[in-house]
Amino acid sequence: MQAHGLALAGLLVARGWNVTIIARDEERIARAFDMLSDRRVAAQQRLMAVPADVADRPAIEAAIGYALERYGGPDLLITSAGICEPGRVESLPVEVFERTLQVNYLG
């Protein structure tokens, strides 16, 4: 998880919300989960970390489905995934441009 998403998750956890975080890097999401666990304010507060790439539609649908099964529908949804490749759009390989669109607009 990157700074903005993790900061928002931390604020919500510190205010007693149940929080599910989704990110593609399993090591980073594990560290984020540990940090957020330390901020819980109630024993019954639920926190879940699910590794998934937001640009991989089947993976993100499975991750969301898993969270819905465990917690039900969300009261709030925050998306903060985003990537940026330096360079002019006309000089970027089409795969880089497509990946950027997948993550930033569809993820």
Side-chain angles (χ1 to χ4, degrees):
M1 291 194 69
Q2 298 295 325
H4 292 100
L6 184 56
L8 287 168
L11 288 171
L12 293 171
V13 169
R15 286 172 173 75
W17 287 60
N18 299 318
V19 172
T20 299
I21 56 174
I22 300 173
R24 71 176 179 263
D25 186 315
E26 291 188 38
E27 288 180 23
R28 290 176 79 180
I29 199 170
R31 287 192 307 271
F33 180 84
D34 290 342
M35 187 275 296
L36 293 172
S37 293
D38 292 341
R39 299 194 74 187
R40 286 182 183 168
V41 295
Q44 72 276 13
Q45 194 173 352
R46 297 174 299 189
L47 178 61
M48 182 170 46
V50 183
D53 184 341
V54 298
D56 180 345
R57 188 175 187 154
I60 202 67
E61 287 176 351
I64 291 170
Y66 180 72
L68 290 173
E69 285 176 21
R70 293 201 50 205
Y71 295 160
D75 293 322
L76 175 68
L77 177 64
I78 299 170
T79 61
S80 66
I83 60 173
C84 178
E85 290 289 333
R88 297 182 57 86
V89 71
E90 65 270 10
S91 64
L92 291 174
V94 70
E95 296 82 13
V96 170
F97 187 68
E98 287 174 346
R99 172 85 177 152
T100 302
L101 291 176
Q102 282 290 90
V103 171
N104 295 356
Y105 296 106
L106 303 176

